[in-house]
Amino acid sequence: SGTWLGEKSPNKEYPYGYFKAEALASLAISVLMLIPCFLVLRGVYERITNPSSISISAIPFMVLVITMFINILTYRFENKKGEELKSDILKTDAAETKSDVYVSLAILFGITLMKFGNMVFELKWWYLADPIISLIIAYLILRLCIGNAFKAVKILNDASVIPSEEVEKFVLSIDGVKFCHAVKSRGRPDAFFLDFHIGVAPEMSVK
């Protein structure tokens, strides 16, 4: 898996390690998350063009509720471990589980509104509640996909991790350093590589 490969130690062939494998796996998960987003949008189109009442028995309803709570616990565990281990793939997988929770909430809320909304308020347009909620859920899933993909792409393309101005300011605060330039950083906020050039006084030994 991406996590296992990303944790491998650097070697002669890969002196910078395998941390990009985790970013690549996160990007793949983000792309896969577009599938439930597409399915939700397709369901919205079908329910708007062919409105119909939704019925669900007690057992499937309870299974849906239980599954949603299991996904919530899974999301919290994965997200916590992802923060502890600084693992992008665990946090991305947690985001995918979070999208499943969103979908379950949309289904539960939509069914509830469609089943009891018309009974209580006697409004004919309650059938629109489910597709509207689904559109919101699709937007949330899409935002998660884009956010996770953007983070992965930045790592894969060696985007700067630390502002060069901050590095220059710190290096120039060291006694004997005359100038600092060509600052480059890449990697992740918790594990990055830093390159820069410094100049010192000619009489200063660098041994």
Side-chain angles (χ1 to χ4, degrees), residues 160-182:
S160 180
V161 180
I162 302 177
S164 58
E165 295 80 8
E166 292 185 11
V167 177
E168 291 176 5
K169 183 179 179 181
F170 174 78
V171 173
L172 291 172
S173 67
I174 300 174
D175 292 337
V177 176
K178 298 299 182 180
F179 65 84
C180 173
H181 61 202

Side-chain angles (χ1 to χ4, degrees), residues 112-123 126:
T112 303
L113 285 178
M114 294 179 67
K115 188 173 184 63
F116 300 106
N118 192 46
M119 293 171 55
V120 177
F121 298 102
E122 297 184 355
L123 297 176
W126 274 110

